[in-house]
Amino acid sequence: MKLIIQIPCFNEQNTLLTTLNDLPRHLEGIDEIEYLIINDGSLDETTKVAWDWGVNYIVNFTQNKGLAKGFMTGIDVCLENGADIIVNTDADNQYYGEDIEKLIRPILDGKADIVIGERPIDQNEDFSFLKKKLQHLGSWAVRQASNTSIPDAPSGFRAFSREAALKLNVVNDYTYTLETIVQAGREKIPIVSVPIRVNKALRPSRLSRTMWDYVRTSMLTILRAYLIYKPLKFFQFLSLFPTIPGLLVWIRFFYLYFRYGGAGHVQSLIIGCTLIIIGAICLMIGILGDTITANRKILQDTQYHTRKMYYDGVKQAALKRHEKCMIYYR
């Protein structure tokens, strides 16, 4: 059983060493542990720190591509190098390295394919009162969109089985955390959460410029993911807003028509028709989106089998390699 711990990095020379030193070297049920750094266009000595520490793999981006791109590239490299379990953690030492054992246990026991670390948000002194409430709100929105019970959706401390990693698709450029949970819930991938601990913050979060920018982007990410997996349900709901007023206007028109005659009330008929047409258009968009979603499931299934054949093939070659450190340039 091989575990690869991946760490996306962007200018992390001051915190990366602390994070790496905190990672476990041996875990019960794991035969081999390797370490991967995704250098997302860092301008400092992040790569040198990783090299000197002795990580097994380094992915170098020539420019900053964002957290989601770094995460998915790391997943591909882990699969290519024979990982049976992949753990993603942050480079700022936010999470306890010892908790990786708790994180992978449900996968080893066959109870889940994705495990999310649940932070003690309400007890976290580094989070303001507003941020705590917004974190809870965002997690609630993800639970509604994904039909899961994950209490800490934005947590970046998570583990994936090889099977789950082969099925992952992230189309968002901002972050992978929310979209992967929605995908897991909608695709019926077994997902659970476990309580974890957090360290004192070593630096401010870089995910967004302001709290409101983070909220706005997160809500758009959730909405986009929901539209991908449940377009018919979304547009059915949206179509009610013009359709119901349109029907009420029609009822008013016919009431006045049969009671007083139709003169002077043609405007109601026109407005009602317009609103109902808009509602019908929304419904048609939902039907088209549902058809596209069905085709997407077929493409995902094809992609899964293609990736499985490819990565299972290169896995055997990866197990025979014994280089100190492999460096990838993307």
Side-chain angles (χ1 to χ4, degrees), residues 4-59:
I4 297 183
I5 302 172
Q6 70 170 35
I7 309 175
C9 299
F10 178 63
N11 294 335
E12 303 287 2
Q13 67 173 13
N14 296 325
T15 60
L16 181 57
L17 185 60
T18 303
T19 301
L20 290 171
N21 287 334
D22 193 44
L23 297 179
R25 299 300 185 100
H26 305 281
L27 289 170
E28 182 181 353
I30 299 296
D31 302 312
E32 185 179 5
I33 302 177
E34 293 183 340
Y35 310 89
L36 162 67
I37 297 299
I38 303 103
N39 175 33
D40 192 12
S42 297
L43 303 176
D44 60 4
E45 299 296 324
T46 294
T47 302
K48 184 178 185 303
V49 172
W51 175 272
D52 291 342
W53 189 85
V55 301
N56 302 90
Y57 314 101
I58 298 176
V59 176

Side-chain angles (χ1 to χ4, degrees), residues 226-241:
Y226 191 80
L227 283 172
I228 289 174
Y229 294 99
K230 289 291 181 180
L232 181 57
K233 187 175 181 179
F234 176 83
F235 282 103
Q236 276 181 329
F237 176 74
L238 192 64
S239 68
L240 295 177
F241 290 95

Side-chain angles (χ1 to χ4, degrees), residues 42-326:
S42 297
L43 303 176
D44 60 4
E45 299 296 324
T46 294
T47 302
K48 184 178 185 303
V49 172
W51 175 272
D52 291 342
W53 189 85
V55 301
N56 302 90
Y57 314 101
I58 298 176
V59 176
N60 277 315
F61 288 164
T62 55
Q63 64 181 25
N64 183 262
K65 297 185 179 182
L67 185 59
K69 181 66 175 179
F71 169 79
M72 283 307 300
T73 301
I75 291 292
D76 288 338
V77 172
C78 289
L79 290 171
E80 183 179 332
N81 286 279
D84 297 297
I85 300 177
I86 302 168
V87 167
N88 187 90
T89 188
D90 291 348
D92 60 357
N93 199 41
Q94 177 181 174
Y95 309 108
Y96 271 70
E98 293 178 359
D99 286 344
I100 288 178
E101 184 172 8
K102 292 197 298 183
L103 201 66
I104 66 173
R105 184 53 50 188
I107 296 177
L108 291 174
D109 293 341
K111 296 179 179 179
D113 283 320
I114 301 177
V115 185
I116 312 294
E118 178 191 350
R119 296 168 294 179
I121 294 175
D122 291 327
Q123 288 75 45
N124 194 329
E125 297 178 356
D126 294 320
F127 286 1
S128 66
F129 175 81
L130 179 60
K131 185 172 183 178
K132 291 176 182 178
K133 296 306 177 184
L134 291 174
Q135 290 274 12
H136 287 307
L137 177 62
S139 296
W140 174 84
V142 172
R143 288 195 296 273
Q144 302 310 305
S146 63
N147 285 339
T148 65
S149 58
I150 302 302
D152 186 11
S155 172
F157 195 48
R158 47 185 67 191
F160 304 87
S161 69
R162 184 176 183 85
E163 189 72 9
L166 286 167
K167 296 177 180 178
L168 287 180
N169 282 291
V170 176
V171 298
N172 184 272
D173 293 329
Y174 175 64
T175 181
Y176 64 91
T177 56
L178 309 179
E179 185 177 346
T180 49
I181 294 176
V182 175
Q183 181 185 355
R186 294 300 175 183
E187 298 297 326
K188 308 301 182 183
I189 301 173
I191 180 171
V192 298
S193 66
V194 296
I196 59 168
R197 298 165 290 174
V198 293
N199 293 309
K200 190 72 176 175
L202 298 180
R203 60 159 176 77
S205 174
R206 298 173 180 162
L207 192 57
S208 57
R209 292 185 295 260
T210 66
M211 177 62 65
W212 297 114
D213 183 56
Y214 171 77
V215 172
R216 177 185 60 81
T217 310
S218 296
M219 290 299 103
L220 289 175
T221 300
I222 296 169
L223 178 61
R224 184 181 183 186
Y226 191 80
L227 283 172
I228 289 174
Y229 294 99
K230 289 291 181 180
L232 181 57
K233 187 175 181 179
F234 176 83
F235 282 103
Q236 276 181 329
F237 176 74
L238 192 64
S239 68
L240 295 177
F241 290 95
T243 302
I244 291 176
L247 291 174
L248 292 176
V249 172
W250 265 17
I251 292 172
R252 176 182 180 273
F253 169 79
F254 284 115
Y255 171 77
L256 295 174
Y257 179 83
F258 288 110
R259 188 172 181 87
Y260 303 109
H265 302 292
V266 179
Q267 300 92 330
S268 297
L269 183 62
I270 294 173
I271 292 173
C273 288
T274 303
L275 290 173
I276 290 174
I277 289 172
I278 293 173
I281 291 173
C282 288
L283 187 59
M284 288 299 299
I285 293 173
I287 294 173
L288 289 173
D290 192 60
T291 304
I292 294 171
T293 297
N295 289 330
R296 185 177 187 274
K297 290 180 179 179
I298 297 173
L299 291 174
Q300 280 184 326
D301 189 58
T302 302
Q303 182 193 51
Y304 163 74
H305 289 291
T306 302
R307 294 176 77 186
K308 185 174 178 61
M309 290 173 58
Y310 171 75
Y311 286 122
D312 285 352
V314 299
K315 178 179 179 180
Q316 300 304 318
L319 296 176
K320 298 177 182 179
R321 292 198 294 260
H322 299 285
E323 292 92 339
K324 175 191 173 185
C325 179
M326 294 188 63

